[in-house]
Amino acid sequence: MSESFPYRIDGRNIQVRVQRRGKTRISARATQADQLRISAPPAASLASIHRFLTTHHHAISTLLAQAPAPQSTGLPPHVWYQGQTYPVLVDASTPTVCWDQHRFSLPEADPQQQKTWLRQFLYQQAEHILLPQLQAHSRRLQLTPAATALSRAKTLWGVCRRQTGIRLNCRLIAAPVWVEDNITNHKLCNLIHPI
């Protein structure tokens, strides 16, 4: 069950959406520059949520300031790639999705098509980076999975099974290299010590 209400902070109105979850604490997340999502215990009163907002005024202002603003193109303003954020720009002279170490450039097209191209590009980068990293760690540790592949899982960074091998989440391409290495090595160790 969720509730929502308007809230005034720093001289502007935002929309607060409350989700009741089996939590013990109240937490906040800015989904956009004018929208805040509150996760609260089922028994938390609206008065306690308002106290939370007042008590954590500075932190919530910071969250809202860092949240993405809605874009008319439908594209994200930036993309996480290998632990860094890069702006996403539309460039009429670009024939395909390009990454030049400073930004992602996309050709002019329908916003849904641009999103599809960007997703495909990031998936291909994950194939070219993550799977060779996994193979290099596999050789170093002398642990050989039955197969290696990428997945589009929503909740897991990777899965390891002796019979089917290791599948890494393609979204891992957004993480810093040390995180990719950590998860890759963890999955390889699961070949010996399954969880």
Side-chain angles (χ1 to χ4, degrees):
M1 180 176 127
S2 67
E3 315 158 62
S4 65
F5 59 87
Y7 185 76
R8 193 153 179 83
I9 187 168
D10 297 335
R12 62 192 177 104
N13 292 321
I14 64 166
Q15 190 66 29
V16 176
R17 184 170 166 229
V18 180
Q19 294 180 322
R20 306 291 181 164
R21 302 209 170 155
K23 303 181 87 175
T24 58
R25 302 179 323 165
I26 298 174
S27 63
R29 178 174 175 226
T31 54
Q32 285 187 5
D34 61 351
Q35 295 179 9
L36 191 68
R37 184 170 53 208
I38 299 287
S39 294
S45 67
L46 281 179
S48 66
I49 292 169
H50 278 277
R51 276 193 304 277
F52 172 86
L53 292 169
T54 303
T55 305
H56 297 88
H57 177 91
H58 180 71
I60 289 168
S61 293
T62 303
L63 282 174
L64 291 167
Q66 294 172 344
Q71 281 201 322
S72 58
T73 63
L75 285 171
H78 64 272
V79 171
W80 281 94
Y81 180 71
Q82 298 263 278
Q84 299 288 324
T85 58
Y86 296 96
V88 177
L89 305 171
V90 176
D91 183 353
S93 65
T94 303
T96 183
V97 179
C98 298
W99 176 68
D100 67 0
Q101 312 264 338
H102 301 290
R103 68 181 164 266
F104 285 92
S105 299
L106 285 85
E108 287 183 343
D110 173 73
Q112 283 306 115
Q113 182 62 54
Q114 290 172 323
K115 284 183 185 179
T116 300
W117 288 337
L118 186 57
R119 273 192 224 105
Q120 289 171 343
F121 178 84
L122 291 170
Y123 189 90
Q124 290 168 351
Q125 291 300 104
E127 282 182 321
H128 295 307
I129 294 171
L130 299 177
L131 295 180
Q133 282 176 346
L134 175 59
Q135 292 165 356
H137 289 299
S138 172
R139 285 190 299 274
R140 182 179 56 79
L141 296 172
Q142 297 179 356
L143 297 170
T144 307
T148 60
L150 294 179
S151 77
R152 296 181 192 268
K154 299 285 185 196
T155 58
L156 300 173
W157 286 120
V159 175
C160 175
R161 295 192 175 91
R162 285 188 192 187
Q163 297 80 12
T164 57
I166 295 175
R167 293 171 58 90
L168 295 175
N169 191 322
C170 65
R171 291 174 180 85
L172 195 54
I173 197 64
V177 174
W178 67 268
V179 173
E180 296 168 0
D181 288 340
N182 187 316
I183 291 170
T184 300
N185 286 320
H186 179 87
K187 293 301 153 197
L188 285 165
C189 291
N190 287 159
L191 291 170
I192 302 170
H193 304 286
I195 295 178

